[in-house]
Amino acid sequence: MTTAPVESTAPEQGTGRDAILRAARRAFALRAYAEVTLRGIAADAGVSPSLIVKRFGSKEQLFHTVADFQPVADELFAAPPAELGRHLVLTMLRLRDEFRGDPLLRVVFSLGRDDERTLLRDRFREQVTARLAAILAERDRELRAELIAGQLLGLGTTLSLHRPGAANLASAERIADLYAPGLQRLIDGD
């Protein structure tokens, strides 16, 4: 598999692009690359296979778009360290609404041994965890970055598992009030 340029994973309403990306994230996370077909993704997304080819070029290019965490990381880490905990929670919640699903959770399903799943984990490590470590103060920065990434994945998992749940009754601000202080302690290195 060759590396192809990737485009932003931000949703574009009215184009089918967001539905294609949601379907592709599910497909690539749950099945081996060889088992995923553009026809299957198209059926799940409610679009034609030709629209996928028009938007993404090929299954490989679509996979590389799905495996790119850079746009999400750009939004997640767009706050100074002193405000990052709250920003992470509020941004995750906003992105969940925009993507109609968790923007990071697909990495949890990449625990198989296939090359594409390894690529997904490696990209997550490089684009999310290592980038976060570079923001943190020196002491235990890699460990703290991994723990913060785990906390973000845990938040996404919890909100997905308990749908509908108590979080549906709480505002994003209230969830941030409860969840962000623990993240901030890890960010600060206390």
Side-chain angles (χ1 to χ4, degrees):
M1 184 181 302
T2 60
T3 301
V6 292
E7 54 181 89
S8 170
T9 56
E12 293 175 14
Q13 296 300 325
T15 64
R17 187 174 190 280
D18 53 337
I20 294 167
L21 288 171
R22 276 194 313 278
R25 285 184 194 111
R26 274 191 305 272
F28 289 124
L30 299 175
R31 294 190 301 279
Y33 180 85
E35 296 173 11
V36 174
T37 65
L38 291 182
R39 274 193 162 75
I41 292 170
D44 190 28
V47 301
S48 70
S50 63
L51 181 61
I52 296 175
V53 172
K54 179 181 176 186
R55 291 264 174 221
F56 298 96
S58 68
K59 180 173 96 169
E60 183 178 358
Q61 288 172 312
L62 178 57
F63 174 78
H64 283 286
T65 300
V66 167
D68 185 20
F69 293 97
Q70 192 67 46
V72 171
D74 289 345
E75 292 192 50
L76 285 173
F77 305 136
E83 302 166 16
L84 191 56
R86 185 171 196 82
H87 175 80
L88 288 171
V89 174
L90 293 173
T91 302
M92 283 291 293
L93 295 172
R94 179 180 54 79
L95 291 174
R96 282 181 59 79
D97 286 344
E98 287 178 17
F99 284 110
R100 289 188 235 158
D102 191 279
L104 297 178
L105 202 53
R106 63 190 180 271
V107 78
V108 172
F109 297 104
S110 69
L111 300 178
R113 295 178 188 229
D114 303 299
D115 288 341
E116 66 277 358
R117 292 179 179 188
T118 300
L119 175 65
L120 194 60
R121 285 192 310 274
D122 290 347
R123 288 242 179 108
F124 183 85
R125 230 178 267 119
E126 171 191 320
Q127 294 175 341
V128 177
T129 311
R131 183 168 170 191
L132 177 57
I135 295 170
L136 301 176
E138 193 64 40
R139 185 170 169 242
D140 298 322
R141 68 172 30 172
E142 290 83 10
L143 173 61
R144 291 180 11 247
E146 289 177 8
L147 293 172
I148 293 164
Q151 291 289 324
L152 292 174
L153 292 170
L155 176 61
T157 302
T158 299
L159 295 174
S160 295
L161 284 173
H162 298 287
R163 187 181 330 147
N168 288 340
L169 303 175
S171 70
E173 292 293 329
R174 180 64 181 144
I175 294 171
D177 288 344
L178 294 169
Y179 206 82
L183 286 174
Q184 195 63 49
R185 281 197 64 209
L186 286 168
I187 291 163
D188 295 339
D190 294 343

